[in-house]
Each structure stands twice: as structure tokens, then as C-alpha cells.
Amino acid sequence: MKSKILGDPSSVPPGVGEVNWSNDMRRKTQAGPSMRVGGHSGVGNWKPTTVAVHAGTYDDPVTGAVGTPIYQSSTFILGEEQYRAIDEGYARDRFIYTRYGNPSQWAVQEKLAALEGAESAIVFSSGMAAISATVISMLDKGGHVVASSELYGGTYNFFHHELPSLGFTVTYVDPRDLVQIEASIRPETMLLYFETLTNPLLKVVNVPALGDIAKRHGLRLVMDATFTTPLAMRVLEHGAHVVVHSCTKYLNGHSDLVAGVAMGARRFIDSIWPRLLAFGGSLDPHACFLLERGLKTLPLRMNAHQDGAKAIARYLAGHAKVKEVHYPGLEQHRDHKLACELLSNFGGMIAFSVGTDAAAQKLLDNLQLARQATSLGGVETLVSLPYNTSHAAFTSDQRTKLGIAPGCVRLSVGIEDAEDLIADLEQALCCI
Ligand SMILES: *Cc1c(COP(=O)(O)O)cnc(C)c1O
């Protein structure tokens, strides 16, 4: 395709391509890759709702169709410029082959980067593909990781089973114990890895304090911000070097695809890109289209998730059969103060306990509107029990130690009317 926008030599930013880019210092600061001349589109002072709609979205240059076309192509015509990109080492900035990059990927990457305030982004075929590629990129031979003891299960499995077999070591720490975190740092420590909110109890992790520790010890900080999204907190501004998300959750928001993203300074994302090529977790162009479409309503959905979750958390807190409610937006949540400082949106996740796992299972079976399924962040309310899903590998004693009480229920509040969801919970709680 010969167009002004799509990888045509005439759209190359001035200077780029005339020099060996790997020796060009500007490489360190250039945002992108982007189809726009001169890097990412300026989002200026746009508010997140505007950024979500417009950043990284490209009208079809041929037909004028509004919105980014789906470039369902595995490969791209090779010309002089593409050969030069391969030869001179800037293949990430040209279209060559879809595992390397595709216009549909670039478009959604640009939108994600604009929302996160990141220079660069790479989308992956799942959150785990993003996490594994990122973590491996941040480590060198013999490296040691200090990681949260309350990680997402897939991440824990990767850290516990894959990293040691590659010669890396991991120390697990209480994500809120800054003294323990700092004391776990060794001479060979290279990486701190944490999640912004823990699953399922929604403990709030002090990202600026972690950023400070990383800085003082010369370590890399990677944050999984899946539960908070770039709208509630931009972790890169608090000292994280790379942020990863499972786009499967809030970012896409419609429970209809699996995807992930890693974002940060261009030099870090450039170091992750070879792992995308090697491990092969690239995101299909059609999924990119769906993700880009989903992202356009992220700010609207997050407000709706928060409104619903606040109302439901308050309702649950006042219910006689509910023992405890964990929602960072509730005053009685032990991290409420920190949550107010760090988060501009408390999200849609709630954990609460009904006393026994049998009662909790009965509750789930009684629910008619909320669907019994794992995952989170979709428009539909989902409910699951840690004891037989995310934390099934733990004994009940181990769960209690983590603070997961018997009968713990995890609720991902969708965007339905809160009154309907409360009515559903009311009838379901009534007969457990
Ligand atoms: C779901 C999830 C992941 C994994 O993402 P996939 O898209 O399922 O691979 C990682 N971290 C957190 C916090 C998650 O909720």
C-alpha cells in the first residue's frame, strides 16, 4: 500500500533512516512506533475520555472510512526502506511481518501508550505473554527478583516454575511491608515485581514507595496494573519502569478477547520486543481492532464500574449475613487512606465473606444476574470463589493466613444498574 501514513519512505521522520539508527542517540527518546509522521500523535491537554476515543485511531487512508481498518495480513511488501530497516536495526519501526509489527497493533499500542503516558507499548496475545516477556527482559544471568507474595496465579506459576529453571531466583514478600521488601534486596537483585491491588482482597500497594526503593537501589520496578487501569493511576509517574496489563480485563472490557500489553520508556520496550519475536506472543489484528474499540469507552465504563461497586459494597457492608467487605473505596477498608491518595477510581472489584465456602457456593448458585465465571473487568458482573478458583492450590490455613476468610466471594461488578445487581444479591443472600 502506498500511502502517506503507512510505512511509506516519504513518511519517515526527518533524519531517521539517513543514519545507522542503533548509533543515533535520538533512538532513546523517540516515542512509538507510530504511523504518524514524527512519532505518536500529540494528545496535548486532552482529558482521558478524549484520549480514549481519538489517540492512535487512524481513519482508512484509502477510503476515508472512520476508524482504524483491520490489517488482517501476516506480511508486508518489502521495499528499499524495509530492507534498510532490517539492515540497520530499526525493524520495529517498519512493517515487515506481523509478529514484528502490524498497523492494527501499532494503532492500539498508540492509544494504550497515550492513556498510560508511556513513550512506547507492545501488545501481546495475553497478559501472561506480556508478563513473561517483560520479566525475562528485565533480568540478566543469575538475577534475583523481589516479588509480591500475593501475585496473580499465572504470574506466580511463571515465577515459581519457569524462572528458577532459567537460573533466576525469587524472594516473595508482603507487598505492603516496605521494610521487608528493602531487607530482601541482595547484591544480585535486579527487579521488583508487584501488582497495584492484590487479588482478591484489594490491598493497596504503595507504588511511589516502591519506586523510591527501586531508585535508591538501582533496580527495575515492573508493576502489573490490571486491577487499576491507567485511568485510576499512572504507575510510570510513580517510578515504575514498565507497566504490564492484562487487556483481557478492564482495558478491553467486554470479555471477548485475551490480550496483554507492556508499556514504558522506549528503551525498555525496545528491550522487550526481541522477546515478543522469540516467544511469539503477538496479538492478532482482529483482536487489536476489538481492543481498540473497547478502549474507546474505558473511561465511561470505569466510572460505571466504580459507581456500581460503591453502591454494592455499601449494601453488602450493611447486610447481616456478610461478615466482611473489602473495597478500597469503603472507609473501613484498611488501605482506604492510601487508596484515596493514589487512586482516582476505586474500580469494580469487591471481595466479601459469607462465613463458609459452602454458603458462598450456595450464594453463587442462587445468583441469577451475576454470572459464575473467573476473569474480571467486563461489562457483565462476574462472581467467583477464591477457594475453588484462583486460590485452589492453597490449603484453607494458607488462605486464612493471606487474609482470605472462609466463604470469601470475589465480585467483579459490571456496568449493569446497581439496583438490579443489589436485588439479585438480596434474593441470593436471603436463602444461603
Ligand atoms: C488476568 C490477569 C493476568 C493474566 O492475563 P491473561 O490475559 O489472562 O493472560 C495477569 N495479571 C492479573 C492481575 C490478572 O488479573
Side-chain angles (χ1 to χ4, degrees):
M1 175 179 293
K2 283 269 180 222
S3 85
K4 191 92 178 104
I5 306 177
L6 298 175
D8 183 279
S10 64
S11 70
V12 176
V16 174
E18 291 159 14
V19 291
N20 182 334
W21 200 5
S22 59
N23 294 328
D24 182 354
M25 292 306 288
R26 276 172 305 161
R27 180 168 180 258
K28 286 205 160 69
T29 51
Q30 168 144 358
S34 169
M35 287 180 276
R36 235 172 278 273
V37 176
H40 278 172
S41 55
V43 294
N45 290 327
W46 285 350
K47 304 280 190 295
T49 40
T50 311
V51 172
V53 174
H54 290 288
T57 287
Y58 291 82
D59 301 337
D60 179 6
V62 174
T63 64
V66 172
T68 315
I70 305 169
Y71 291 89
Q72 198 74 43
S73 178
S74 61
T75 194
F76 299 86
I77 306 286
L78 293 173
E80 199 184 314
E81 175 56 27
Q82 283 71 26
Y83 287 122
R84 189 176 346 160
I86 296 166
D87 185 41
E88 295 185 1
Y90 58 94
R92 199 184 157 213
D93 288 270
R94 295 294 178 271
F95 300 123
I96 291 163
Y97 182 64
T98 282
R99 179 156 42 80
Y100 287 52
N102 173 294
S104 298
Q105 293 166 357
W106 282 22
V108 72
Q109 284 170 182
E110 192 171 336
K111 192 183 290 292
L112 286 159
L115 285 166
E116 190 73 66
E119 264 181 20
S120 190
I122 306 178
V123 286
F124 288 85
S125 55
S126 70
M128 283 314 303
I131 290 165
S132 53
T134 299
V135 168
I136 298 280
S137 310
M138 297 288 125
L139 291 171
D140 242 332
K141 217 172 173 180
H144 171 252
V145 186
V146 176
S148 170
S149 57
E150 297 180 47
L151 291 173
Y152 171 75
T155 308
Y156 176 77
N157 287 338
F158 174 70
F159 278 33
H160 199 68
H161 298 298
E162 305 302 329
L163 288 187
S165 73
L166 296 169
F168 303 118
T169 49
V170 187
T171 301
Y172 298 96
V173 291
D174 177 341
R176 287 191 301 189
D177 187 341
L178 298 169
V179 173
Q180 189 197 4
I181 291 169
E182 199 149 12
S184 304
I185 295 170
R186 305 180 198 162
E188 68 273 24
T189 304
M190 293 175 188
L191 174 66
L192 305 179
Y193 188 98
F194 290 86
E195 296 172 359
T196 50
L197 290 177
T198 68
N199 175 38
L201 299 181
L202 308 160
K203 299 174 188 172
V204 182
V205 172
N206 192 336
V207 185
L210 292 177
D212 185 51
I213 293 174
K215 196 169 177 191
R216 277 189 283 112
H217 294 268
L219 308 174
R220 304 264 164 86
L221 172 63
V222 173
M223 292 298 313
D224 178 336
T226 300
F227 274 46
T228 42
T229 82
L231 292 180
M233 171 169 45
R234 285 174 157 202
V235 296
L236 298 174
E237 288 168 12
H238 293 302
H241 297 93
V242 175
V243 57
V244 291
H245 296 269
S246 168
C247 305
T248 313
K249 318 293 169 51
Y250 286 113
L251 295 183
N252 179 58
H254 293 73
S255 307
D256 54 9
L257 63 79
V258 173
V261 67
M263 295 186 266
R266 173 87 199 222
R267 65 197 172 97
F268 289 124
I269 306 307
D270 277 352
S271 78
I272 297 170
W273 186 66
R275 273 69 186 199
L276 166 74
L277 305 191
F279 301 148
S282 66
L283 189 61
D284 180 78
H286 187 256
C288 293
F289 159 77
L290 287 172
L291 177 56
E292 198 202 317
R293 187 172 75 160
L295 281 166
K296 291 176 185 176
T297 56
L298 176 67
L300 302 181
R301 286 187 284 105
M302 288 315 294
N303 287 339
H305 287 298
Q306 173 177 248
D307 290 348
K310 269 186 181 164
I312 290 167
R314 270 190 227 113
Y315 160 78
L316 289 169
H319 197 288
K321 288 188 181 168
V322 174
K323 311 276 180 270
E324 52 186 55
V325 181
H326 302 270
Y327 182 66
L330 276 187
E331 267 158 42
Q332 60 262 43
H333 189 281
R334 59 185 275 188
D335 297 331
H336 180 65
K337 201 168 151 274
L338 184 60
C340 291
E341 283 168 30
L342 292 181
L343 304 176
S344 56
N345 184 307
F346 299 119
M349 297 303 295
I350 299 174
F352 63 98
S353 165
V354 291
T356 68
D357 291 333
Q361 187 57 55
K362 185 113 194 290
L363 170 73
L364 263 57
D365 293 338
N366 290 346
L367 285 168
Q368 287 167 6
L369 183 52
R371 317 308 305 170
Q372 199 172 144
T374 65
S375 199
L376 62 113
V379 291
E380 60 288 283
T381 295
L382 299 181
V383 61
S384 62
L385 305 179
Y387 100 92
N388 60 9
T389 58
S390 59
H391 291 73
F394 293 79
T395 65
S396 72
D397 276 355
Q398 286 171 324
R399 284 193 294 270
T400 305
K401 243 189 187 155
L402 286 174
I404 303 172
C408 180
V409 178
R410 189 184 87 163
L411 192 63
S412 169
V413 178
I415 63 166
E416 303 96 331
D417 193 293
E419 276 184 31
D420 293 336
L421 292 169
I422 288 171
D424 190 29
L425 283 163
E426 177 78 20
Q427 65 78 24
L429 279 165
C430 155
C431 32
I432 58 170

